[in-house]
Amino acid sequence: CLLRAACRTAPSFASFLAAALRSACLDIMQRFASFGRNQVLRRVMSSSGRKPLTPSSVLRDVKYELRGPLAERALAKERAGTPVLKCNVGNPGAFGFGVPQAIRDAYVSGWEESIPYVHQKGLVEAREEIVRHYQGRNHPDAKPITTDDIWIGNGVSELIMMSMRCLLEPGDEVLIPSPDYPLWTASVRIHGATAVHYDCLPSNAFFPRD
C-alpha cells in the first residue's frame, strides 16, 4: 500500500510520519467538545416536535478552547476584517509545508496495493522504519522496542483516546503539565479520570519545578 511504498522510497519516512501524526486533526475531541455547545441541533429537534438530544454528562467538564471559544473569537475578528494567523491546530499545509516528492511518488506506485485492509497494528514495513528511526536517536528507551510495540493510528487523537480507554478507571489520577494541549486534559476527563496539573512556568523556561 501507500505506506509500504513510502518505506521503500523514503528512508526518512519515519520522520515524516512522526510529523504527520503530531499535526493530525483532532476530529474526535473537536466533535465531542463542540457538540456540548451546539444549541442549533437542539432548536431543530424541538421545532420538529422530537425530543431534543442531550449531550452526555461526561462532556460537562470537557473543554476544547482551540476549536471552541478561541476559534469563534478568531472568526469574529476575520469577519470584522482583521487578518488572523491560525496556529491553534497543526496544519502544515496552510503554511506552505508540502509533501516530499518521495512520498508523492509512493502514493502513485502503491495505489493498487492500498485497496485491502492492513495489519491492525499498521504496515510491518512502516513499523520497522519507525523502530529504526527511534533507535537511531540513541534514546535509552528505544533499544528494546520492536515492531510488535508499535501501533499506527489515524492521528494522535485516536491513539490517545484508545490508550486512555484501555488504561484508565474512574477516579484514576493522571499527571498533566500546565499549560497543556487541551486534548490531554479532555481525554482524561472524558474517561472518568481526574487530571492533576503541575506547573511549567515561563520563569522556569516551561520546565517543571524541581
Side-chain angles (χ1 to χ4, degrees):
C1 77
L2 303 182
L3 286 177
R4 183 180 290 115
C7 289
R8 291 197 300 260
T9 58
S12 60
F13 175 68
S15 299
F16 173 82
L17 180 61
L21 288 175
R22 286 195 296 269
S23 63
C25 70
L26 304 175
D27 282 346
I28 297 174
M29 291 307 304
Q30 293 162 12
R31 292 177 184 179
F32 274 130
S34 62
F35 181 68
R37 294 187 296 271
N38 189 352
Q39 301 301 318
V40 176
L41 180 59
R42 290 190 177 191
R43 289 198 294 269
V44 171
M45 295 295 289
S46 298
S47 63
S48 65
R50 300 177 183 176
K51 182 180 179 181
L53 295 176
T54 303
S56 170
S57 60
V58 301
L59 297 179
R60 182 179 58 252
D61 296 323
V62 175
K63 303 182 185 300
Y64 204 90
E65 290 83 353
L66 296 183
R67 288 289 193 177
L70 183 62
E72 292 166 3
R73 288 177 58 189
L75 180 60
K77 286 185 173 293
E78 284 185 319
R79 288 174 175 171
T82 302
V84 177
L85 184 63
K86 299 176 182 177
C87 297
N88 56 323
V89 293
N91 186 9
F95 295 93
F97 291 93
V99 178
Q101 188 59 47
I103 303 299
R104 295 172 184 260
D105 295 339
Y107 290 161
V108 177
S109 63
W111 179 253
E112 289 297 330
E113 298 177 68
S114 68
I115 297 175
Y117 288 173
V118 299
H119 190 277
Q120 63 267 25
K121 291 185 178 182
L123 285 171
V124 174
E125 293 91 337
R127 289 186 282 136
E128 289 174 344
E129 187 63 32
I130 291 173
V131 169
R132 285 192 291 270
H133 171 76
Y134 282 100
Q135 287 179 339
R137 296 174 62 179
N138 296 319
H139 192 281
D141 295 331
K143 292 183 180 180
I145 291 178
T146 69
T147 55
D148 290 334
D149 300 314
I150 304 297
W151 290 73
I152 299 176
N154 297 318
V156 174
S157 298
E158 179 190 49
L159 295 175
I160 289 179
M161 292 289 286
M162 290 173 62
S163 299
M164 297 297 99
R165 174 66 71 183
C166 294
L167 297 174
L168 294 181
E169 295 285 353
D172 283 353
E173 295 183 342
V174 180
L175 285 171
I176 298 178
S178 177
D180 76 316
Y181 195 73
L183 171 65
W184 305 340
T185 297
S187 61
V188 170
R189 289 176 175 171
I190 205 170
H191 289 102
T194 300
V196 179
H197 296 92
Y198 57 90
D199 291 333
C200 296
L201 302 175
S203 57
N204 197 37
F206 293 102
F207 281 98
R209 291 179 297 181
D210 295 332

